[in-house]
Coordinates of all heavy atoms in Angstrom, one line a residue:
P1 N 2.6 8.5 -7.8 CA 1.4 9.2 -8.3 C 0.9 8.6 -9.6 O 1.6 8.1 -10.4 CB 1.9 10.6 -8.6 CG 3.4 10.4 -9.0 CD 3.8 9.2 -8.3
M2 N -0.4 8.6 -9.7 CA -1.1 8.3 -11.0 C -2.3 9.1 -11.1 O -3.3 8.9 -10.4 CB -1.4 6.8 -11.1 CG -1.8 6.4 -12.5 SD -1.8 4.7 -12.8 CE -2.2 4.7 -14.6
D3 N -2.2 10.2 -11.9 CA -3.3 11.1 -12.0 C -3.7 11.6 -10.7 O -2.9 12.2 -9.9 CB -4.4 10.6 -12.9 CG -4.0 10.2 -14.3 OD1 -2.9 10.6 -14.7 OD2 -4.8 9.6 -15.0
E4 N -5.0 11.4 -10.3 CA -5.5 11.9 -9.0 C -5.1 11.1 -7.8 O -5.4 11.5 -6.6 CB -7.0 12.0 -9.1 CG -7.8 10.7 -8.7 CD -7.5 9.5 -9.5 OE1 -7.0 9.6 -10.6 OE2 -7.8 8.4 -9.0
T5 N -4.3 10.1 -8.0 CA -4.0 9.1 -6.9 C -2.6 9.2 -6.5 O -1.7 9.5 -7.3 CB -4.3 7.7 -7.4 OG1 -5.7 7.5 -7.7 CG2 -3.8 6.6 -6.4
L6 N -2.3 9.1 -5.2 CA -1.0 9.0 -4.6 C -0.9 7.9 -3.6 O -1.7 7.8 -2.7 CB -0.6 10.3 -4.0 CG 0.9 10.4 -3.5 CD1 1.9 10.3 -4.6 CD2 1.1 11.7 -2.7
V7 N 0.0 7.0 -3.8 CA 0.2 5.8 -2.9 C 1.7 5.9 -2.4 O 2.6 6.1 -3.2 CB 0.0 4.5 -3.6 CG1 0.3 3.3 -2.7 CG2 -1.5 4.4 -4.0
R8 N 1.9 5.6 -1.1 CA 3.2 5.5 -0.5 C 3.5 4.1 -0.2 O 2.7 3.4 0.4 CB 3.3 6.4 0.7 CG 4.6 6.2 1.5 CD 4.7 7.2 2.6 NE 3.5 7.2 3.5 CZ 3.0 8.3 4.2 NH1 3.6 9.5 4.0 NH2 2.0 8.2 4.9
V9 N 4.7 3.6 -0.6 CA 5.1 2.3 -0.3 C 6.5 2.4 0.4 O 7.4 3.0 -0.1 CB 5.2 1.4 -1.5 CG1 5.7 0.0 -1.2 CG2 3.9 1.3 -2.3
V10 N 6.6 1.7 1.6 CA 7.8 1.7 2.3 C 8.1 0.2 2.7 O 7.2 -0.5 3.2 CB 7.7 2.6 3.6 CG1 9.1 2.6 4.3 CG2 7.3 4.0 3.3
L11 N 9.4 -0.2 2.5 CA 9.6 -1.6 2.8 C 11.1 -1.8 3.4 O 11.9 -0.9 3.2 CB 9.4 -2.5 1.6 CG 10.3 -2.3 0.4 CD1 11.6 -3.1 0.5 CD2 9.6 -2.8 -0.9
D12 N 11.2 -2.9 4.1 CA 12.5 -3.3 4.7 C 12.6 -4.8 4.3 O 11.8 -5.6 4.7 CB 12.4 -3.1 6.2 CG 13.6 -3.6 6.9 OD1 14.7 -3.9 6.3 OD2 13.6 -3.6 8.2
I13 N 13.7 -5.2 3.7 CA 14.0 -6.6 3.5 C 14.6 -7.1 4.7 O 15.8 -7.3 4.8 CB 14.9 -6.8 2.2 CG1 14.3 -6.1 1.0 CG2 15.2 -8.3 2.0 CD1 15.2 -6.2 -0.3
S14 N 13.8 -7.3 5.7 CA 14.2 -7.5 7.1 C 14.3 -9.0 7.4 O 14.9 -9.4 8.4 CB 13.2 -6.9 8.1 OG 11.9 -7.5 7.9
G15 N 13.6 -9.9 6.6 CA 13.5 -11.2 7.0 C 12.4 -11.5 8.0 O 12.1 -12.6 8.4
R16 N 11.7 -10.4 8.4 CA 10.6 -10.5 9.3 C 9.3 -10.0 8.5 O 9.0 -8.8 8.5 CB 10.8 -9.6 10.5 CG 12.0 -10.0 11.4 CD 12.1 -9.2 12.7 NE 12.2 -7.8 12.4 CZ 13.2 -7.1 12.0 NH1 14.4 -7.7 11.8 NH2 13.2 -5.8 11.8
P17 N 8.6 -11.0 8.0 CA 7.5 -10.6 7.1 C 6.3 -9.9 7.9 O 5.9 -10.4 8.9 CB 7.0 -11.9 6.5 CG 7.6 -13.0 7.4 CD 8.8 -12.4 8.0
Y18 N 5.8 -8.8 7.3 CA 4.7 -8.1 7.9 C 4.1 -7.2 6.8 O 4.9 -6.6 6.1 CB 5.1 -7.3 9.1 CG 4.0 -7.0 10.0 CD1 3.7 -7.8 11.1 CD2 3.2 -5.8 9.8 CE1 2.6 -7.5 11.9 CE2 2.1 -5.5 10.6 CZ 1.8 -6.4 11.7 OH 0.8 -6.1 12.5
L19 N 2.8 -7.2 6.7 CA 2.2 -6.3 5.7 C 1.2 -5.4 6.5 O 0.4 -5.8 7.2 CB 1.4 -7.1 4.7 CG 0.5 -6.2 3.7 CD1 1.4 -5.4 2.8 CD2 -0.4 -7.1 2.9
V20 N 1.4 -4.1 6.2 CA 0.4 -3.1 6.6 C -0.2 -2.6 5.3 O 0.5 -2.0 4.5 CB 1.0 -1.9 7.4 CG1 -0.1 -0.9 7.7 CG2 1.6 -2.5 8.7
W21 N -1.5 -2.8 5.2 CA -2.2 -2.5 3.9 C -3.3 -1.4 4.2 O -4.3 -1.8 4.9 CB -2.8 -3.7 3.4 CG -3.6 -3.6 2.1 CD1 -5.0 -3.5 1.9 CD2 -3.1 -3.5 0.8 NE1 -5.3 -3.4 0.6 CE2 -4.2 -3.4 -0.1 CE3 -1.8 -3.5 0.2 CZ2 -4.0 -3.2 -1.5 CZ3 -1.6 -3.3 -1.1 CH2 -2.7 -3.2 -2.0
K22 N -3.2 -0.2 3.8 CA -4.1 0.8 4.0 C -4.6 1.4 2.6 O -4.2 2.5 2.3 CB -3.6 1.9 4.9 CG -3.2 1.4 6.3 CD -3.2 2.4 7.3 CE -2.9 1.8 8.7 NZ -4.1 1.4 9.4
V23 N -5.3 0.5 1.9 CA -5.7 0.8 0.5 C -7.2 0.5 0.5 O -7.6 -0.6 1.0 CB -4.9 0.0 -0.5 CG1 -5.5 0.3 -1.9 CG2 -3.4 0.4 -0.4
R24 N -8.0 1.3 -0.2 CA -9.4 1.1 -0.3 C -9.8 1.0 -1.8 O -9.5 1.8 -2.6 CB -10.2 2.2 0.3 CG -10.0 2.5 1.8 CD -10.6 3.8 2.3 NE -10.3 4.9 1.4 CZ -9.2 5.6 1.4 NH1 -8.2 5.2 2.2 NH2 -9.0 6.6 0.7
F25 N -10.6 -0.1 -2.1 CA -11.2 -0.2 -3.4 C -12.7 -0.1 -3.3 O -13.3 -0.6 -2.3 CB -10.8 -1.5 -4.0 CG -9.4 -1.7 -4.4 CD1 -8.5 -2.5 -3.6 CD2 -8.8 -0.9 -5.4 CE1 -7.2 -2.7 -3.9 CE2 -7.5 -1.1 -5.7 CZ -6.6 -1.9 -5.0
T26 N -13.3 0.6 -4.2 CA -14.7 0.8 -4.2 C -15.5 0.1 -5.2 O -16.7 0.3 -5.4 CB -15.0 2.3 -4.3 OG1 -14.5 2.8 -5.6 CG2 -14.4 3.2 -3.2
Q27 N -14.8 -0.9 -5.9 CA -15.5 -1.8 -6.8 C -14.9 -3.2 -6.6 O -13.8 -3.4 -6.1 CB -15.3 -1.3 -8.3 CG -13.9 -1.3 -8.8 CD -13.8 -0.6 -10.1 OE1 -14.2 0.6 -10.2 NE2 -13.4 -1.3 -11.1
D28 N -15.7 -4.2 -7.0 CA -15.4 -5.6 -6.7 C -14.3 -6.1 -7.6 O -13.6 -7.1 -7.2 CB -16.6 -6.4 -6.7 CG -17.6 -6.1 -5.6 OD1 -17.2 -5.6 -4.6 OD2 -18.8 -6.4 -5.8

């Protein structure tokens, strides 16, 4: 958490690289 924001991060040091990114930015 950071103030009004909450982000969940889950990972596995699997040796099988994969990124699922579900994050939105509203400024450049």
